[in-house]
Structures are given as structure tokens and as C-alpha cells.
Amino acid sequence: MTTVTQISSMSQVPAVPQIPAILPVIVFMGDSDDNIIDATDRRDHVFGRGGNDTLNGLDGNDLLEGGAGNDTLDGGADHDVLRGGKGNDTLIISDGDDELTGGGGRDVFRFDSVFISGTSTITDFSAKKDVIQLDRSQFFILPPNGSVDYLPVGKLAARHFHIGAAPGDANDYITYNAGTGDLFFDRDGTGGFVTQLIAKLPSGLDMTHNNIVIS
Ligand SMILES: [Ca+2]
Ligand SMILES: [Ca+2]
Ligand SMILES: [Ca+2]
């Protein structure tokens, strides 16, 4: 593991709060080794390059690029752009209207929380290779008997996945609208609890329950 320090800063550009586009950008560059890079609470551009890297953007509107290798990217709060690059990457969906691109390989798009502000867009989700991973403690369900329950770890059961504009029955917890690409979570399917838009995927995908994993 290589320790990475901030290698360059363009912070000599004066910050003008009214014009975010010219706020300073702080750049972090990994190397061919496995790097763990914790950026700053400001606007960062973080490049992991080769190796299996862990990139944390923290606050600010960040750009994270994993490059080659199996990388884990977490944009943190605010509006981030995450690009996994080659390899089997894990991209974490966090607060802000993030834009996530897995790139090549089998990528995992992970929710650690169900209480996320904003709606992230996954630009290149592949129904053949990629999965959405949901934390079972966050994505608990509300069966008709009034209890609180947890989905078993592993792939979502087929009966809990639905294609359509809204859940079709009481145990449709995940719904994909193939016309719009919207992906919904609903703790009680057609019951009274709110249907929550959790991500925007490409439209027209051949999504199945196999694309949803409970962890
Ligand atoms: Ca940041
Ligand atoms: Ca690296
Ligand atoms: Ca990668």
C-alpha cells in the first residue's frame, strides 16, 4: 500500500463563491500500486490510476477516476462524478445528484443508506454484468402483517422484483421502469408506504432480480 499525498493544487485561483466553476480544484494522483486516497472537503479531482484503489472524495463537487484495477469510489456529499474505469469496481451512491460510470468489468453500485438526498444517475449500467447492492439494515421491508423484516443476504428473490411504472403487488420491493430507466424501492410494494426513486439507470435494460443484491 502506498501513501498518497496531494501532489498539486491550483488553489492560487481566488475563490469566488458566486461562480463555482472557477473554485480551486485540488488534484490527487495515485500510482500503479494500491492507493487509499482521502481527498478534502473542497472540490477534488482524484485519479487512482493502476492498482486496486480506494478513493474518497468527501464533501465538495468531486471527480473520482479509478483507472485500471478493482477500485472502490465514494464521492461523499455534494454533486460528484465517479468513473470506475477498467476492472471490477465498487461505486458508492451517496448524497447529491451524482453521475456514476462503472466502465469495463463487473461493477457494483452500492447503497449504504436509503436516506439519500438527490438522485444519482448510473450512465452505463449493464444488466449482463453489473449489480445494485443494497444494505439490508437500511432497505428493511414492511410486510402486510405489520412487522419489520429484512431481506436475506444474496440475490433478490424473483418475486420481489418488478418491471413497470410502479410496484405490481405487496412484495414488489424493487421496481424498474424500462421506459424511463427509473429504479424504485418500496418497503411495502403496493401498500401505503412511499415509493422511493433511488437511482436513474439507462432505459430499456433487460433488468432482472439477478441485478439486485442484498448485503
Ligand atoms: Ca472533496
Ligand atoms: Ca493506484
Ligand atoms: Ca477500475
Side-chain angles (χ1 to χ4, degrees):
M1 200 66 70
T2 304
T3 302
V4 172
T5 52
Q6 176 186 326
I7 64 148
S8 69
S9 170
M10 288 168 259
S11 57
Q12 72 272 20
V13 179
V16 180
Q18 293 82 1
I19 310 174
I22 67 164
L23 281 173
V25 176
I26 302 168
V27 178
F28 293 81
M29 195 77 74
D31 57 20
S32 60
D33 207 341
D34 299 345
N35 308 115
I36 298 175
I37 303 178
D38 292 323
T40 76
D41 286 335
R42 300 172 68 181
R43 189 156 75 99
D44 306 299
H45 288 186
V46 186
F47 303 91
R49 303 171 76 190
N52 303 328
D53 305 308
T54 300
L55 311 181
N56 297 311
L58 307 179
D59 289 357
N61 300 343
D62 303 312
L63 168 65
L64 308 183
E65 292 197 6
N70 304 331
D71 307 302
T72 300
L73 279 53
D74 184 350
D78 299 312
H79 306 306
D80 308 304
V81 174
L82 278 58
R83 298 174 184 152
K86 293 178 181 173
N88 303 329
D89 302 305
T90 299
L91 282 65
I92 295 170
I93 294 168
S94 58
D95 285 341
D97 300 318
D98 295 344
E99 181 187 301
L100 298 90
T101 302
R106 297 179 175 276
D107 302 308
V108 175
F109 298 90
R110 193 172 91 202
F111 286 85
D112 291 332
S113 172
V114 72
F115 302 108
I116 285 174
S117 65
T119 304
S120 293
T121 299
I122 301 172
T123 66
D124 68 338
F125 191 88
S126 166
K128 284 190 173 66
K129 296 188 299 182
D130 299 334
V131 297
I132 304 282
Q133 190 179 80
L134 308 174
D135 182 311
R136 69 198 292 260
S137 69
Q138 290 281 322
F139 288 80
F140 62 84
I141 56 174
L142 301 170
N145 64 11
S147 66
V148 173
D149 206 354
Y150 297 92
L151 292 162
V153 170
K155 286 183 177 174
L156 185 72
R159 66 183 181 281
H160 298 324
F161 181 82
H162 182 69
I163 300 277
D169 64 32
N171 68 10
D172 289 343
Y173 303 121
I174 297 291
T175 297
Y176 171 68
N177 184 334
T180 63
D182 290 344
L183 188 71
F184 299 101
F185 170 67
D186 196 312
R187 297 191 195 278
D188 63 356
T190 47
F193 206 84
V194 66
T195 302
Q196 183 180 352
L197 174 65
I198 58 171
K200 296 186 78 67
L201 275 54
S203 60
L205 296 178
D206 292 323
M207 291 282 287
T208 72
H209 65 104
N210 290 318
N211 292 114
I212 310 297
V213 172
I214 309 300
S215 66

